[in-house]
Amino acid sequence: MKAIIICILSCLSVFAADTNDIRVVTWTYKIMPEDSLATVEVFTRSDQTNLVLNTHTKDGVVLFRSQSFYHAGTEVGSYMYQIANGTNTGVGSTPGAPYYFNVGFDFSNRPRSAHIMATNFVMLDWFLCTNGVFYPADSSLIREANGRLPKVFPPH
């Protein structure tokens, strides 16, 4: 009976790994002399870095946040937010990257999502955004979105 339960639990972990393949490692350090905190979050999908968030805060207020997006070991683009003499936001794609990178905004210019796509428009990675913070979408959503592509695009 124990062997059957162990086998079932092992199979469940394989299914769970397919639907929730995002991992995150976080660390925080103090920045002197500003007396602020820097938090770095590195997200991986299938053991490949796909998003790095770097957030600087002081007294609980976000001063700066940079978010770098990666695919297959290549930095593809970035989204930055800074509070200094007002609010500054920047979006950029990495020159020479072999992928398309875009950020979608809502009607009031708030970021909603970011995408990394192959040159044939197959979505390679998708990041959802809440309150200016991006996080990787579940792999099943990416597969579902790619399943809606016209059949003229071969799968990647």
Side-chain angles (χ1 to χ4, degrees):
M1 184 67 170
K2 281 185 182 180
I4 293 172
I5 292 172
I6 290 171
C7 182
I8 290 171
L9 292 176
S10 296
C11 292
L12 287 176
S13 67
V14 169
F15 289 121
D18 185 48
T19 61
N20 190 10
D21 58 350
I22 302 297
R23 304 284 182 253
V24 64
V25 175
T26 304
W27 65 92
T28 301
Y29 57 94
K30 194 168 193 171
I31 299 175
M32 301 301 277
E34 297 89 15
D35 198 32
S36 62
L37 290 178
T39 302
V40 179
E41 299 171 85
V42 177
F43 292 82
T44 60
R45 180 188 307 278
S46 303
D47 296 325
Q48 293 264 333
T49 298
N50 72 341
L51 177 62
V52 177
L53 272 64
N54 190 341
T55 306
H56 292 211
T57 59
K58 184 170 183 174
D59 300 326
V61 175
V62 174
L63 303 174
F64 172 80
R65 177 175 290 128
S66 70
Q67 301 172 83
S68 300
F69 302 85
Y70 294 82
H71 185 73
T74 300
E75 184 176 3
V76 177
S78 62
Y79 181 87
M80 290 174 251
Y81 173 85
Q82 178 179 6
I83 298 175
N85 302 322
T87 301
N88 298 303
T89 303
V91 177
S93 27
T94 304
Y99 310 105
Y100 291 125
F101 172 73
N102 68 14
V103 175
F105 295 88
D106 68 10
F107 61 90
S108 58
N109 249 0
R110 289 184 302 234
R112 300 290 300 184
S113 63
H115 308 89
I116 298 173
M117 297 182 296
T119 56
N120 63 357
F121 299 107
V122 170
M123 189 181 313
L124 302 173
D125 219 332
W126 184 6
F127 305 87
L128 304 174
C129 187
T130 303
N131 297 324
V133 180
F134 290 90
Y135 56 93
D138 192 81
S139 295
S140 63
L141 293 175
I142 297 168
R143 283 191 299 273
E144 182 181 318
N146 284 331
R148 288 187 243 132
L149 283 174
K151 297 304 175 199
V152 294
F153 298 118
H156 181 74

